[in-house]
Amino acid sequence: MMRTIVELQQQLAPDLLEVLKRRYRILQQVGQTEYIGRRALAGVLAMTERVLRAETDFLKAQGLLDIRQSGMQLSDSGRQLLDQLAPTMKELAGLTELEERIRSRYGLRKVVIVSGDSEASEHVKRELGRAGAQVLRGYMAPGDVVAVTGGTTMAHVAGQLSSQRPLADIRFVPARGGLGESVDYQANTIVSTMAKRTGAQYRLLHVPDHLGEEAYQSLMQEPNIREIVEVIRSARIVLHGIGDAMVMARRRKEAEPAVAAMRSEGALAEAFGFYFDRSGNVVHRMPTAGLRLEEIQTAEVVIAIAGGRGKGEAIAAVMRFGHDDVLITDEAAALEMLRTFEADADEV
Amino acid sequence: MMRTIVELQQQLAPDLLEVLKRRYRILQQVGQTEYIGRRALAGVLAMTERVLRAETDFLKAQGLLDIRQSGMQLSDSGRQLLDQLAPTMKELAGLTELEERIRSRYGLRKVVIVSGDSEASEHVKRELGRAGAQVLRGYMAPGDVVAVTGGTTMAHVAGQLSSQRPLADIRFVPARGGLGESVDYQANTIVSTMAKRTGAQYRLLHVPDHLGEEAYQSLMQEPNIREIVEVIRSARIVLHGIGDAMVMARRRKEAEPAVAAMRSEGALAEAFGFYFDRSGNVVHRMPTAGLRLEEIQTAEVVIAIAGGRGKGEAIAAVMRFGHDDVLITDEAAALEMLRTFEADADEV
DNA sequence: AGTACCGGGACATATTTAGTCCCGATTATG
DNA sequence: CATAATCGGGACTAAATATGTCCCGGTACT
């Protein structure tokens, strides 16, 4: 498989691509306007004045921008560069467009798409994690409680999360108890990794995820359990993965009748312990000593992160549930989501 | 003319390419070694430990490098990336190789080559200026006197030179007096621009460059002239352009007999007021109230900067003169220099 | 057992970046 | 012709980041 130069560069210098993208956006925007001023431009591009200024100073030094007292404009070589750069940048801009389409169709606040297919490439999975970590960092504010689920994707987020200054007033908590999985991918483990990497606080929930009603009730009588559960339920930010319903059911060792019932009800996706059909209806739930639907609905920022072509449909299902604010996914899954959307539209 | 992606990127983000290059160099070096430690690697690559560490940490996070207690090694995907990147990087590495060839053949301390032909493209000219400014910054030390000649190339260097912190204890001086040229390209103008852009001191030499012996002698009796000339002659760093002999002679309005004499002597190149034949012998000089040959020979750092295919031969001639330490040029001129070198080798 | 080199921790300091406000000049507008 | 809005660029502080340097415990080879 031949990878494009952009993908190669994304591996060797992902943050540099962001710079490239930003400068390109500036050139593009300036190109669309006759004369535009720094502050006006900063407004359009949603940058602060100073950052934009650093870039325009640079672009001016490169001779790509003419800056005069009446505003700025592309120079001849700037316009020329913009044209020549277009095909290369389409790859990046293409994702931006894809992001916007997914965003508006599923009514989300924000969508971030990394290029590639995380099923096919370990590197894309890491990229997904990086993007997730970056988004999460952007939303965290002092005093926040961040509830996090498990999974390999989330483990990647944890691995890419960092902070120079310790965020001592942020608490990470698991959204749910433990699954019978490798310890590396359990919510508890991930929570502790995230907290360590950012210098934040964390609380763990040492309770099996899969509980009968009775056991659940009696556990909830325990004061120390209650306390941490209350913290969890106060989460302002929820960061969760999305799984395939049947795979998750098996992993959770759901009873066979329940699995059969779910299947017949069209269970397709799983997220934070709930099972969804393709329309985003909850078809199965389990008593949990963690986040309930209420908290998902009331949490201020619900961030979903999942990728891989095979997960496209599942992601679409959960997005239709309608309580997510932000989605971080990969190109393959995003394209699959669009296809799903269009197929459904045709049916109607 | 279709430009390659590397060239496009060089316009939009030249410094980012340096980062790319650096990371590639690291991968390459690590790939050539079985296991290598951080400090050893820093030595080989001439980087400080900390900078290298930042990069290796990054490359590790990208999964391109395996770091263990016994040292570091390329990971599988690192090796793969290195292979896939090779053709793209050849463009940059090609210049590095070219630099080394020029460097060793002309016995220089350092050679920097920017890609392209500054005769053909304004952008390459600017790049040349940027490279020159960068090199100069690298050599400047507190207390230095920097002597600078005129010319359009040098004007570009001045335009790209900058310093965040004022370099108040550095003095810029013109290497010679004024030529009858546009004021923008005169040494005096350039000196003042450089000083302003770096917060340095400067002294000007208000004396015509083209002087008869008598006038020269009487001017040198002037105490204030003498003083600045002494400063000029104490320069530790000399930054000069290189011109075509005949073009410069005409610009300097040399007397016709002198021009004819020079021509018959094979004058090919001009630099800091001296004319050189193709072997680097001085075939003509003029009394100057500026740098003399002695100072060129004793100055600690003599930096030549000139580009353009048509100047290749002239640059080669001045390099053979043998008192330059550093050459900054462009790809077109460098290739021409190599051709010149080989043609001469054949003759012998 | 000793030595040399390994990665990683730590930390003071230098440098860069970012946010913000001000200013005089210029242009559009009434 | 006057006035308001907008322009680029200067200035300055606070915050973030990069850098040089040394130390440490572990490991591998001698």
Side-chain angles (χ1 to χ4, degrees):
Chain A
M1 181 189 90
M2 184 49 197
R3 289 184 287 180
T4 69
I5 181 156
V6 172
E7 282 177 56
L8 292 176
Q9 195 165 343
Q10 182 143 42
Q11 245 181 104
L12 201 54
D15 24 340
L16 302 202
L17 275 189
E18 315 256 313
V19 177
L20 227 56
K21 215 162 145 183
R22 184 167 65 212
R23 290 187 182 160
Y24 185 74
R25 276 215 314 148
I26 294 173
L27 286 183
Q28 207 170 27
Q29 190 62 45
V30 173
Q32 279 169 17
T33 331
E34 183 122 11
Y35 274 107
I36 188 165
R38 194 195 332 135
R39 272 164 275 245
L41 189 57
V44 176
L45 295 171
M47 297 181 178
T48 61
E49 193 190 322
R50 197 61 186 75
V51 173
L52 176 70
R53 186 168 170 184
E55 298 296 359
T56 53
D57 282 355
F58 170 86
L59 292 171
K60 181 189 175 188
Q62 288 297 110
L64 303 171
L65 226 48
D66 274 345
I67 301 189
R68 343 185 164 178
Q69 289 188 322
S70 47
M72 49 190 125
Q73 219 183 7
L74 287 189
S75 72
D76 287 346
S77 58
R79 196 166 294 278
Q80 202 181 328
L81 181 70
L82 198 61
D83 289 346
Q84 293 185 294
L85 224 40
T88 311
M89 286 292 169
K90 222 179 95 189
E91 213 170 323
L92 295 167
L95 288 189
T96 311
E97 197 210 331
L98 194 53
E99 285 170 359
E100 176 51 28
R101 277 162 74 185
I102 299 276
R103 198 197 63 73
S104 64
R105 296 198 187 183
Y106 289 91
L108 296 162
R109 202 189 299 176
K110 179 176 188 158
V111 173
V112 175
I113 298 175
V114 304
S115 77
D117 183 351
S118 51
E119 257 168 53
S121 149
E122 192 58 28
H123 159 248
V124 175
K125 213 159 194 169
R126 199 168 45 234
E127 250 320 279
L128 194 62
R130 205 182 64 88
Q134 195 179 324
V135 169
L136 177 59
R137 243 195 325 270
Y139 281 104
M140 286 193 296
D144 275 356
V145 172
V146 183
V148 180
T149 69
T152 58
T153 306
M154 214 53 73
H156 272 107
V157 176
Q160 298 280 344
L161 198 62
S162 70
S163 169
Q164 13 299 131
R165 211 187 20 179
L167 305 169
D169 52 359
I170 286 188
R171 276 173 295 174
F172 285 96
V173 293
R176 307 178 57 82
L179 262 71
E181 275 190 276
S182 156
V183 71
D184 284 350
Y185 308 136
Q186 291 207 15
N188 274 338
T189 314
I190 288 168
V191 157
S192 108
T193 306
M194 285 184 171
K196 275 176 201 152
R197 292 186 64 97
T198 54
Q201 305 295 311
Y202 66 101
R203 304 291 306 270
L204 299 183
L205 182 60
H206 294 295
V207 162
D209 190 54
H210 190 222
L211 277 179
E213 184 65 28
E214 263 177 61
Y216 168 69
Q217 289 301 347
S218 65
L219 260 174
M220 286 301 280
Q221 300 306 318
E222 292 287 326
N224 51 346
I225 301 268
R226 278 186 80 100
E227 191 225 325
I228 160 76
V229 167
E230 264 163 39
V231 174
I232 291 174
R233 293 184 176 167
S234 75
R236 196 182 75 91
I237 299 179
V238 177
L239 182 66
H240 69 85
I242 292 174
D244 179 88
M246 292 306 130
V247 172
M248 288 304 288
R250 224 158 283 131
R251 201 173 293 168
R252 282 224 177 86
K253 302 198 179 64
E254 300 265 2
E256 193 48 48
V259 173
M262 278 164 52
R263 198 195 311 270
S264 71
E265 283 179 296
L268 192 68
E270 186 276 349
F272 36 84
F274 294 84
Y275 292 86
F276 302 85
D277 69 11
R278 60 185 312 199
S279 305
N281 302 312
V282 174
V283 295
H284 185 73
R285 62 176 72 186
M286 39 201 311
T288 173
L291 289 183
R292 294 161 305 182
L293 272 189
E294 294 100 285
E295 282 88 41
I296 300 295
Q297 285 159 6
T298 58
E300 283 184 47
V301 186
V302 180
I303 305 173
I305 173 163
R309 183 170 172 174
K311 284 234 186 116
E313 240 189 316
I315 298 171
V318 176
M319 290 306 112
R320 283 193 176 131
F321 169 58
H323 291 287
D324 275 280
D325 300 299
V326 181
L327 170 65
I328 298 140
T329 187
D330 61 21
E331 200 179 353
L335 290 172
E336 202 57 39
M337 285 177 74
L338 273 191
R339 218 164 286 138
T340 304
F341 189 93
E342 274 148 23
D344 286 9
D346 288 350
E347 274 180 32
V348 176
Chain B
M1 181 188 94
M2 183 49 197
R3 288 183 287 179
T4 69
I5 181 156
V6 173
E7 281 177 56
L8 292 176
Q9 194 164 343
Q10 182 143 44
Q11 245 182 103
L12 201 54
D15 24 342
L16 303 202
L17 274 189
E18 315 256 312
V19 177
L20 226 56
K21 213 162 146 183
R22 184 168 65 211
R23 290 187 182 159
Y24 184 75
R25 277 215 312 147
I26 294 173
L27 285 184
Q28 208 170 26
Q29 190 61 46
V30 172
Q32 280 171 15
T33 331
E34 184 124 10
Y35 273 108
I36 188 164
R38 192 193 336 133
R39 271 164 274 247
L41 189 57
V44 176
L45 296 170
M47 297 180 177
T48 61
E49 194 190 323
R50 196 63 186 74
V51 173
L52 176 69
R53 188 167 168 185
E55 297 295 0
T56 54
D57 283 354
F58 170 85
L59 292 170
K60 181 189 175 189
Q62 287 297 110
L64 302 171
L65 225 48
D66 273 345
I67 301 188
R68 345 183 162 181
Q69 289 190 322
S70 46
M72 50 190 124
Q73 218 184 6
L74 288 189
S75 72
D76 287 345
S77 58
R79 197 166 293 279
Q80 202 181 329
L81 181 71
L82 198 61
D83 288 346
Q84 292 185 296
L85 224 41
T88 311
M89 285 292 170
K90 221 179 95 188
E91 214 170 320
L92 295 166
L95 288 188
T96 311
E97 196 211 332
L98 193 54
E99 285 171 359
E100 176 51 29
R101 277 163 74 187
I102 299 277
R103 198 197 64 74
S104 63
R105 296 200 188 180
Y106 289 90
L108 295 162
R109 202 190 299 176
K110 179 176 187 157
V111 173
V112 175
I113 299 175
V114 304
S115 77
D117 183 351
S118 51
E119 257 168 51
S121 150
E122 193 57 29
H123 159 248
V124 175
K125 213 159 195 169
R126 199 168 46 236
E127 247 324 277
L128 194 61
R130 206 182 64 85
Q134 194 179 322
V135 168
L136 178 59
R137 241 193 330 268
Y139 281 105
M140 286 193 296
D144 275 357
V145 172
V146 182
V148 180
T149 70
T152 58
T153 306
M154 214 51 75
H156 271 108
V157 176
Q160 298 281 343
L161 198 62
S162 70
S163 169
Q164 11 299 129
R165 213 186 18 177
L167 305 169
D169 52 359
I170 286 189
R171 276 173 296 177
F172 284 95
V173 293
R176 307 177 58 84
L179 263 71
E181 273 190 278
S182 156
V183 70
D184 285 349
Y185 308 137
Q186 292 208 16
N188 274 339
T189 314
I190 288 168
V191 157
S192 107
T193 306
M194 285 184 171
K196 273 176 202 153
R197 292 187 64 96
T198 55
Q201 305 296 310
Y202 67 99
R203 303 292 304 271
L204 299 183
L205 183 60
H206 295 292
V207 162
D209 190 54
H210 190 221
L211 277 179
E213 184 67 28
E214 263 177 60
Y216 168 69
Q217 290 300 347
S218 65
L219 260 175
M220 286 301 278
Q221 301 307 317
E222 291 288 324
N224 51 347
I225 301 266
R226 278 187 82 100
E227 190 224 327
I228 161 75
V229 167
E230 264 163 37
V231 174
I232 291 174
R233 293 183 176 169
S234 76
R236 195 183 75 93
I237 300 179
V238 177
L239 182 66
H240 69 87
I242 291 173
D244 179 89
M246 291 307 130
V247 172
M248 286 305 288
R250 222 157 286 131
R251 200 172 293 168
R252 282 226 178 83
K253 303 198 177 64
E254 301 265 3
E256 194 47 49
V259 174
M262 276 164 54
R263 197 195 312 270
S264 72
E265 285 178 295
L268 190 69
E270 185 276 348
F272 35 83
F274 294 83
Y275 292 85
F276 302 86
D277 68 12
R278 60 183 312 196
S279 306
N281 301 314
V282 175
V283 294
H284 185 73
R285 63 176 70 187
M286 40 202 308
T288 174
L291 288 183
R292 295 161 303 183
L293 271 189
E294 295 101 284
E295 282 88 41
I296 300 293
Q297 284 159 6
T298 57
E300 284 184 46
V301 187
V302 180
I303 305 173
I305 173 162
R309 180 166 176 180
K311 285 235 186 114
E313 238 187 318
I315 298 171
V318 177
M319 289 306 112
R320 283 194 174 129
F321 169 60
H323 291 288
D324 275 280
D325 300 299
V326 181
L327 169 66
I328 297 142
T329 186
D330 60 21
E331 199 179 352
L335 289 172
E336 201 58 38
M337 285 177 73
L338 272 192
R339 219 164 286 139
T340 304
F341 189 93
E342 274 148 25
D344 286 9
D346 288 349
E347 275 180 31
V348 176

